[in-house]
Short mmCIF file of all heavy atoms in Angstrom, two decimals:
data_model
loop_
_atom_site.label_atom_id
_atom_site.label_comp_id
_atom_site.label_asym_id
_atom_site.label_seq_id
_atom_site.Cartn_x
_atom_site.Cartn_y
_atom_site.Cartn_z
N LEU A 1 -11.82 -13.82 -11.61
CA LEU A 1 -10.75 -13.41 -10.73
C LEU A 1 -10.56 -11.93 -10.58
O LEU A 1 -9.60 -11.48 -9.95
CB LEU A 1 -9.43 -14.06 -11.20
CG LEU A 1 -9.42 -15.52 -11.46
CD1 LEU A 1 -8.07 -15.96 -11.96
CD2 LEU A 1 -9.78 -16.32 -10.20
N VAL A 2 -11.46 -11.14 -11.23
CA VAL A 2 -11.29 -9.70 -11.16
C VAL A 2 -11.72 -9.15 -9.82
O VAL A 2 -12.76 -9.50 -9.29
CB VAL A 2 -12.14 -9.07 -12.30
CG1 VAL A 2 -12.04 -7.52 -12.26
CG2 VAL A 2 -11.65 -9.57 -13.66
N GLY A 3 -10.95 -8.24 -9.33
CA GLY A 3 -11.28 -7.49 -8.06
C GLY A 3 -10.77 -8.14 -6.78
O GLY A 3 -9.98 -9.07 -6.87
N HIS A 4 -11.27 -7.65 -5.67
CA HIS A 4 -10.85 -8.11 -4.36
C HIS A 4 -9.33 -7.97 -4.19
O HIS A 4 -8.72 -8.89 -3.57
CB HIS A 4 -11.37 -9.54 -4.09
CG HIS A 4 -12.81 -9.72 -4.28
ND1 HIS A 4 -13.67 -9.16 -3.36
CD2 HIS A 4 -13.55 -10.30 -5.21
CE1 HIS A 4 -14.95 -9.45 -3.75
NE2 HIS A 4 -14.83 -10.13 -4.91
N THR A 5 -8.75 -6.90 -4.71
CA THR A 5 -7.37 -6.64 -4.53
C THR A 5 -7.04 -6.13 -3.14
O THR A 5 -7.86 -5.44 -2.53
CB THR A 5 -6.78 -5.63 -5.57
OG1 THR A 5 -7.55 -4.43 -5.49
CG2 THR A 5 -6.99 -6.18 -6.98
N PRO A 6 -5.89 -6.43 -2.59
CA PRO A 6 -5.59 -6.06 -1.22
C PRO A 6 -5.13 -4.68 -1.03
O PRO A 6 -4.62 -3.97 -1.93
CB PRO A 6 -4.48 -7.05 -0.81
CG PRO A 6 -3.74 -7.28 -2.14
CD PRO A 6 -4.80 -7.29 -3.19
N LEU A 7 -5.31 -4.17 0.18
CA LEU A 7 -4.73 -2.92 0.67
C LEU A 7 -3.44 -3.21 1.48
O LEU A 7 -3.49 -4.10 2.37
CB LEU A 7 -5.69 -2.15 1.49
CG LEU A 7 -6.91 -1.58 0.81
CD1 LEU A 7 -7.88 -0.97 1.84
CD2 LEU A 7 -6.57 -0.46 -0.18
N VAL A 8 -2.37 -2.51 1.19
CA VAL A 8 -1.05 -2.70 1.90
C VAL A 8 -0.51 -1.40 2.35
O VAL A 8 -0.39 -0.44 1.63
CB VAL A 8 -0.10 -3.44 0.93
CG1 VAL A 8 1.27 -3.58 1.59
CG2 VAL A 8 -0.64 -4.78 0.40
N ARG A 9 -0.13 -1.39 3.61
CA ARG A 9 0.51 -0.26 4.25
C ARG A 9 1.95 -0.12 3.75
O ARG A 9 2.71 -1.12 3.73
CB ARG A 9 0.42 -0.38 5.75
CG ARG A 9 1.09 0.78 6.52
CD ARG A 9 0.12 1.85 6.84
NE ARG A 9 0.81 2.84 7.68
CZ ARG A 9 0.82 2.83 9.04
NH1 ARG A 9 0.14 1.88 9.68
NH2 ARG A 9 1.50 3.75 9.70
N LEU A 10 2.42 1.08 3.36
CA LEU A 10 3.71 1.31 2.87
C LEU A 10 4.66 1.72 4.02
O LEU A 10 5.19 2.85 4.10
CB LEU A 10 3.73 2.31 1.75
CG LEU A 10 2.72 2.18 0.62
CD1 LEU A 10 2.82 3.19 -0.41
CD2 LEU A 10 2.83 0.76 0.01
N HIS A 11 4.83 0.81 4.96
CA HIS A 11 5.51 1.13 6.21
C HIS A 11 6.95 1.72 6.05
O HIS A 11 7.35 2.66 6.55
CB HIS A 11 5.56 -0.08 7.13
CG HIS A 11 4.31 -0.38 7.84
ND1 HIS A 11 3.89 0.37 8.94
CD2 HIS A 11 3.39 -1.34 7.66
CE1 HIS A 11 2.73 -0.07 9.37
NE2 HIS A 11 2.46 -1.13 8.62
N ASN A 12 7.75 0.99 5.26
CA ASN A 12 9.11 1.38 5.06
C ASN A 12 9.29 2.68 4.35
O ASN A 12 10.09 3.54 4.68
CB ASN A 12 9.89 0.31 4.37
CG ASN A 12 10.00 -0.97 5.21
OD1 ASN A 12 9.94 -0.94 6.40
ND2 ASN A 12 10.18 -2.14 4.52
N PHE A 13 8.43 2.91 3.32
CA PHE A 13 8.45 4.19 2.61
C PHE A 13 8.11 5.29 3.51
O PHE A 13 8.71 6.39 3.53
CB PHE A 13 7.48 4.09 1.45
CG PHE A 13 7.46 5.29 0.56
CD1 PHE A 13 8.43 5.45 -0.45
CD2 PHE A 13 6.52 6.28 0.72
CE1 PHE A 13 8.44 6.58 -1.29
CE2 PHE A 13 6.52 7.44 -0.12
CZ PHE A 13 7.44 7.58 -1.12
N GLU A 14 7.07 5.11 4.39
CA GLU A 14 6.73 6.12 5.38
C GLU A 14 7.85 6.41 6.26
O GLU A 14 8.22 7.65 6.52
CB GLU A 14 5.54 5.60 6.21
CG GLU A 14 4.21 5.44 5.49
CD GLU A 14 3.20 4.84 6.46
OE1 GLU A 14 3.38 4.72 7.70
OE2 GLU A 14 2.13 4.32 5.93
N LYS A 15 8.52 5.44 6.84
CA LYS A 15 9.61 5.59 7.77
C LYS A 15 10.80 6.35 7.12
O LYS A 15 11.35 7.31 7.70
CB LYS A 15 10.06 4.28 8.29
CG LYS A 15 11.21 4.41 9.32
CD LYS A 15 11.62 3.02 9.82
CE LYS A 15 12.78 3.06 10.81
NZ LYS A 15 13.19 1.72 11.27
N ASN A 16 11.14 5.94 5.90
CA ASN A 16 12.30 6.51 5.22
C ASN A 16 12.09 7.98 4.84
O ASN A 16 13.09 8.74 4.70
CB ASN A 16 12.59 5.72 3.93
CG ASN A 16 13.10 4.31 4.26
OD1 ASN A 16 13.46 3.98 5.36
ND2 ASN A 16 13.08 3.49 3.24
N ASN A 17 10.83 8.32 4.67
CA ASN A 17 10.50 9.72 4.33
C ASN A 17 9.94 10.56 5.53
O ASN A 17 9.46 11.67 5.26
CB ASN A 17 9.52 9.75 3.12
CG ASN A 17 10.14 9.30 1.86
OD1 ASN A 17 10.86 10.09 1.19
ND2 ASN A 17 9.98 8.02 1.55
N ASN A 18 10.00 9.99 6.74
CA ASN A 18 9.51 10.63 7.91
C ASN A 18 8.06 11.14 7.75
O ASN A 18 7.73 12.29 8.12
CB ASN A 18 10.45 11.84 8.27
CG ASN A 18 10.27 12.33 9.66
OD1 ASN A 18 9.91 11.55 10.60
ND2 ASN A 18 10.45 13.62 9.90
N LEU A 19 7.24 10.28 7.22
CA LEU A 19 5.82 10.59 7.02
C LEU A 19 5.03 10.22 8.24
O LEU A 19 5.13 9.15 8.85
CB LEU A 19 5.28 9.84 5.80
CG LEU A 19 6.09 10.05 4.50
CD1 LEU A 19 5.46 9.28 3.38
CD2 LEU A 19 6.17 11.53 4.13
N LYS A 20 4.18 11.18 8.67
CA LYS A 20 3.36 10.95 9.88
C LYS A 20 1.90 10.47 9.52
O LYS A 20 1.15 10.10 10.42
CB LYS A 20 3.29 12.22 10.65
CG LYS A 20 4.62 12.78 11.03
CD LYS A 20 5.51 11.84 11.83
CE LYS A 20 6.86 12.44 12.23
NZ LYS A 20 7.70 11.52 12.92
N ALA A 21 1.59 10.44 8.27
CA ALA A 21 0.28 9.85 7.80
C ALA A 21 0.50 8.45 7.38
O ALA A 21 1.64 8.00 7.10
CB ALA A 21 -0.31 10.71 6.74
N GLN A 22 -0.61 7.73 7.25
CA GLN A 22 -0.51 6.32 6.80
C GLN A 22 -0.81 6.30 5.29
O GLN A 22 -1.80 6.78 4.82
CB GLN A 22 -1.56 5.48 7.51
CG GLN A 22 -1.38 5.34 9.01
CD GLN A 22 -2.39 4.40 9.64
OE1 GLN A 22 -2.98 3.53 8.99
NE2 GLN A 22 -2.68 4.65 10.88
N LEU A 23 0.15 5.71 4.57
CA LEU A 23 0.00 5.49 3.15
C LEU A 23 -0.40 4.01 2.88
O LEU A 23 0.29 3.11 3.27
CB LEU A 23 1.29 5.81 2.42
CG LEU A 23 1.45 7.22 1.88
CD1 LEU A 23 1.31 8.23 3.01
CD2 LEU A 23 2.81 7.38 1.16
N ILE A 24 -1.61 3.85 2.29
CA ILE A 24 -2.16 2.52 2.14
C ILE A 24 -2.41 2.35 0.62
O ILE A 24 -3.29 2.98 0.00
CB ILE A 24 -3.48 2.40 2.89
CG1 ILE A 24 -3.29 2.74 4.40
CG2 ILE A 24 -4.11 1.03 2.72
CD1 ILE A 24 -4.50 3.01 5.20
N GLY A 25 -1.69 1.43 0.04
CA GLY A 25 -1.82 1.19 -1.44
C GLY A 25 -2.78 0.08 -1.76
O GLY A 25 -2.75 -1.03 -1.14
N LYS A 26 -3.66 0.33 -2.76
CA LYS A 26 -4.53 -0.76 -3.25
C LYS A 26 -3.92 -1.31 -4.49
O LYS A 26 -3.75 -0.65 -5.52
CB LYS A 26 -5.96 -0.18 -3.57
CG LYS A 26 -6.95 -1.29 -3.89
CD LYS A 26 -8.35 -0.83 -3.74
CE LYS A 26 -9.41 -1.93 -4.18
NZ LYS A 26 -9.32 -3.18 -3.34
N LEU A 27 -3.50 -2.60 -4.39
CA LEU A 27 -2.59 -3.24 -5.38
C LEU A 27 -3.43 -3.77 -6.53
O LEU A 27 -3.74 -4.97 -6.68
CB LEU A 27 -1.80 -4.35 -4.73
CG LEU A 27 -0.92 -4.01 -3.51
CD1 LEU A 27 -0.02 -5.15 -3.12
CD2 LEU A 27 -0.12 -2.78 -3.82
N GLU A 28 -3.79 -2.85 -7.40
CA GLU A 28 -4.66 -3.24 -8.59
C GLU A 28 -3.90 -4.08 -9.58
O GLU A 28 -4.51 -4.71 -10.42
CB GLU A 28 -5.20 -1.99 -9.24
CG GLU A 28 -6.27 -1.31 -8.45
CD GLU A 28 -7.49 -2.24 -8.29
OE1 GLU A 28 -8.14 -2.51 -9.22
OE2 GLU A 28 -7.72 -2.66 -7.14
N TYR A 29 -2.57 -4.12 -9.52
CA TYR A 29 -1.81 -4.99 -10.44
C TYR A 29 -2.03 -6.50 -10.06
O TYR A 29 -1.58 -7.36 -10.85
CB TYR A 29 -0.33 -4.63 -10.50
CG TYR A 29 0.48 -4.77 -9.17
CD1 TYR A 29 0.81 -5.95 -8.67
CD2 TYR A 29 0.82 -3.57 -8.51
CE1 TYR A 29 1.58 -6.01 -7.51
CE2 TYR A 29 1.58 -3.67 -7.35
CZ TYR A 29 1.97 -4.87 -6.89
OH TYR A 29 2.74 -4.90 -5.75
N LEU A 30 -2.72 -6.83 -8.99
CA LEU A 30 -3.05 -8.17 -8.68
C LEU A 30 -4.32 -8.66 -9.29
O LEU A 30 -4.81 -9.78 -9.11
CB LEU A 30 -3.11 -8.39 -7.16
CG LEU A 30 -1.73 -8.19 -6.50
CD1 LEU A 30 -1.78 -8.41 -4.99
CD2 LEU A 30 -0.63 -9.18 -7.07
N ASN A 31 -4.98 -7.78 -10.17
CA ASN A 31 -6.00 -8.26 -11.02
C ASN A 31 -5.40 -9.23 -12.06
O ASN A 31 -4.22 -9.16 -12.30
CB ASN A 31 -6.72 -7.07 -11.71
CG ASN A 31 -7.71 -6.44 -10.83
OD1 ASN A 31 -8.71 -7.07 -10.40
ND2 ASN A 31 -7.51 -5.13 -10.50
N PRO A 32 -6.24 -10.05 -12.75
CA PRO A 32 -5.68 -11.13 -13.53
C PRO A 32 -4.75 -10.74 -14.71
O PRO A 32 -3.82 -11.44 -14.98
CB PRO A 32 -6.92 -11.92 -14.01
CG PRO A 32 -8.08 -11.11 -13.70
CD PRO A 32 -7.66 -10.25 -12.51
#
């Protein structure tokens, strides 16, 4: 089950901080 963790866009965090770049988190805590 190790690996293949998803990438997730941090949309609300970007909006709340007026960020113009895309922040994309790789959720490594979804490893087993």
Side-chain angles (χ1 to χ4, degrees):
L1 307 179
V2 177
H4 304 291
T5 57
L7 292 172
V8 176
R9 180 90 176 268
L10 309 182
H11 280 287
N12 295 334
F13 185 83
E14 291 173 15
K15 180 180 178 181
N16 293 344
N17 289 278
N18 196 30
L19 305 180
K20 304 303 182 183
Q22 296 182 27
L23 269 55
I24 304 164
K26 188 160 176 62
L27 304 187
E28 287 298 293
Y29 60 77
L30 294 180
N31 277 300

